Amino acid sequence: MQVSKRAQRIEPFYVMEVAKAAQALAREVAGTNEPMIFLNIGEPDFTAPPLVQQAAAHAVAQGNTQYTPALGLDALRERISQWYAQRFGVDVPARRIVVTAGASAALQLACLALIDSGDEILMPDPSYPCNRHFVSAADGKAVLIPTTAAERFQLSADKVAQAWGEKTRGVLLASPSNPTGTSIAPDELRRIHDVVRARGGLTIIDEIYLGLSYDPAYSQTALALGEDLVSINSFSKYFNMTGWRLGWMVVPEALVPAVERVAQNLFICASTISQHAALACFEPESIAEFERRRAEFKARRDYFIPELEKLGLRVPVMPDGAFYAWADCSEAARKLGVEGSWDFAYALMQRAHLAITPGRDFGTAETAHYVRFSTANSLPQLQEAVRRLRALLG
């Protein structure tokens, strides 16, 4: 059976390939003094808070499990709208909000609704690998633009203008970003959007980590720039509902019918149980718990990154959001007698039973020198990871 060219264009998701190797080794060392510590997957160690779990159970008990409208429960769209007003002071009407089967479905819907065959989408290098694959799956082409630490590993308006060509359709950004945890400065984001707008292009911005922003200077949604962009968000990160597969997108009102048609055909709707459960995310008790957890994520960052720096794992830009450390492993790799982040990651896995993610997934601009640590793990686990790194790297 012949595999489609589209499928052949999709590269392996190396994060998951490394995770499989780590899981296999974890089974071997489970009973030892140094079981595997997983700092490789971007998944909060917290789970949905009690009110959310109770709401899910209530939905099942009441039989509220049938299809919802493709755009999502009206009540949930309204609660998300209210959250934008309360949290960010931005008016986002519920009619522009589309509830999706995770942020991944939202990105897929955005690409399928907006990108034609051959269209080019500009995005930073490094960036989350699946974003470029969503573009590819829509028969578009992701154009990765190398970024530097001085640019916070984000695109600038100047670079977007310089890279814009005849086939360019728009930009796909992420703020805060995976793998770097860095955000785009609001003034620079405005300039980028002005460049795109002047060329009749589209701005898609992944804001799934926006709730986990630690610096007020970066904690504003791009939706404050106007209605002519697409924002992607999720219940996975700030709301700790990864396996519930629930997200949303905010689109220009004129785009809603097109997105609805595609969603009806591809997904029917997002999980009904997850939608009913997510209504409880916005209760004051739940928000208080999410804020407590956000403070915990910040405390982990504040502990872990200075410790990495002491060990020669330089983090050139302090992340202002999310739960990642994008670290240059060049010096540490030399100490272990290996070359590049791929071999360094496997050396840590085998010698210290630490699972991390090599830079290969995230692009080609110096990514062979970088690894991503996830700090979405408990402080004791991070402290033990530092102890093992110190024993290995000195």
Side-chain angles (χ1 to χ4, degrees):
M1 186 175 292
Q2 185 172 340
V3 175
S4 72
K5 292 180 180 178
R6 179 183 296 103
Q8 293 176 36
R9 288 198 302 269
I10 304 298
E11 303 167 38
F13 194 2
Y14 293 107
V15 170
M16 296 306 178
E17 295 299 312
V18 173
K20 286 192 292 186
Q23 289 285 0
L25 182 57
R27 289 190 289 271
E28 297 179 20
V29 302
T32 69
N33 292 330
E34 287 195 348
M36 187 68 68
I37 294 177
F38 293 93
L39 304 182
N40 56 326
I41 302 297
E43 179 173 35
D45 55 325
F46 301 114
T47 58
L51 287 184
V52 175
Q53 297 181 37
Q54 292 164 19
H58 182 73
V60 173
Q62 295 297 309
N64 294 329
T65 58
Q66 296 178 312
Y67 295 140
T68 73
L71 297 177
L73 288 172
D74 288 343
L76 182 56
R77 297 166 74 197
E78 287 288 349
R79 293 302 294 270
I80 294 170
S81 173
Q82 293 165 14
W83 189 67
Y84 277 112
Q86 294 164 2
R87 179 100 181 193
F88 304 108
V90 175
D91 179 23
V92 180
R95 62 181 179 273
R96 293 177 52 210
I97 296 169
V98 180
V99 179
T100 61
S104 295
L107 282 159
Q108 184 179 1
L109 287 170
C111 290
L112 291 174
L114 293 167
I115 295 173
D116 282 319
S117 180
D119 284 349
E120 295 182 351
I121 303 296
L122 309 179
M123 57 184 67
D125 185 347
S127 59
Y128 182 58
C130 295
N131 286 358
R132 65 180 185 267
H133 298 324
F134 288 123
V135 172
S136 181
D139 289 330
K141 179 182 179 182
V143 178
L144 297 183
I145 301 175
T147 62
T148 65
E151 300 165 312
R152 301 180 57 76
F153 298 112
Q154 293 281 5
L155 290 186
S156 65
D158 288 344
K159 281 193 170 179
V160 170
Q162 292 165 10
W164 201 280
E166 291 184 3
K167 295 182 179 180
T168 306
R169 179 74 177 94
V171 297
L172 201 171
L173 312 169
S175 185
S177 168
N178 178 2
T180 64
T182 61
S183 299
I184 307 171
D187 288 346
E188 191 63 33
L189 181 57
R190 182 180 296 276
R191 285 191 285 269
I192 291 171
H193 189 47
D194 285 345
V195 168
V196 175
R197 181 188 282 148
R199 289 157 176 76
L202 64 98
T203 298
I204 304 173
I205 183 159
D206 172 348
E207 296 190 307
I208 70 172
Y209 294 101
L210 184 60
L212 293 176
S213 180
Y214 312 123
D215 187 336
Y218 298 102
S219 58
Q220 180 57 268
T221 173
L223 294 167
L225 299 177
E227 298 185 4
D228 57 339
L229 53 78
V230 174
S231 171
I232 307 296
N233 219 308
S234 174
F235 284 93
S236 289
K237 309 302 181 181
Y238 175 73
F239 297 102
N240 309 148
M241 294 177 68
T242 51
W244 301 68
R245 305 315 305 134
L246 194 66
W248 75 87
M249 59 196 300
V250 180
V251 302
E253 191 168 348
L255 187 60
V256 172
V259 171
E260 183 177 20
R261 288 196 304 273
V262 179
Q264 287 169 334
N265 282 277
L266 291 187
F267 301 104
I268 301 181
C269 67
S271 164
T272 301
I273 298 169
S274 295
Q275 291 189 62
H276 281 289
L279 288 168
C281 286
F282 302 101
E283 294 297 322
E285 179 182 327
S286 297
I287 293 293
E289 179 60 17
F290 294 136
E291 286 299 290
R292 186 194 67 78
R293 294 174 180 184
R294 182 168 70 97
E296 175 63 22
F297 281 127
K298 181 180 182 296
R300 295 172 184 181
R301 179 202 69 171
D302 293 345
Y303 161 74
F304 191 67
I305 290 180
E307 294 296 330
L308 290 182
E309 295 271 359
K310 293 175 187 175
L311 294 167
L313 287 157
R314 189 174 64 88
V315 179
V317 186
M318 174 65 89
D320 57 83
F323 35 62
Y324 300 115
W326 184 240
D328 187 336
C329 67
S330 303
E331 178 184 334
R334 284 193 293 270
K335 287 184 179 180
L336 298 187
V338 298
E339 186 174 346
S341 63
W342 184 263
D343 290 343
F344 177 72
Y346 272 86
L348 287 194
M349 187 191 307
Q350 292 158 359
R351 302 185 202 180
H353 301 164
L354 291 179
I356 63 172
T357 300
R360 178 182 295 186
D361 254 332
F362 304 103
T364 59
E366 301 296 318
T367 53
H369 302 299
Y370 282 87
V371 291
R372 188 195 72 180
F373 291 86
S374 169
T375 54
N377 211 327
S378 69
L379 188 58
Q381 287 277 282
L382 294 174
Q383 291 168 336
E384 173 61 15
V386 168
R387 187 195 66 78
R388 295 185 194 181
L389 288 168
R390 190 179 297 120
L392 195 63
L393 298 173

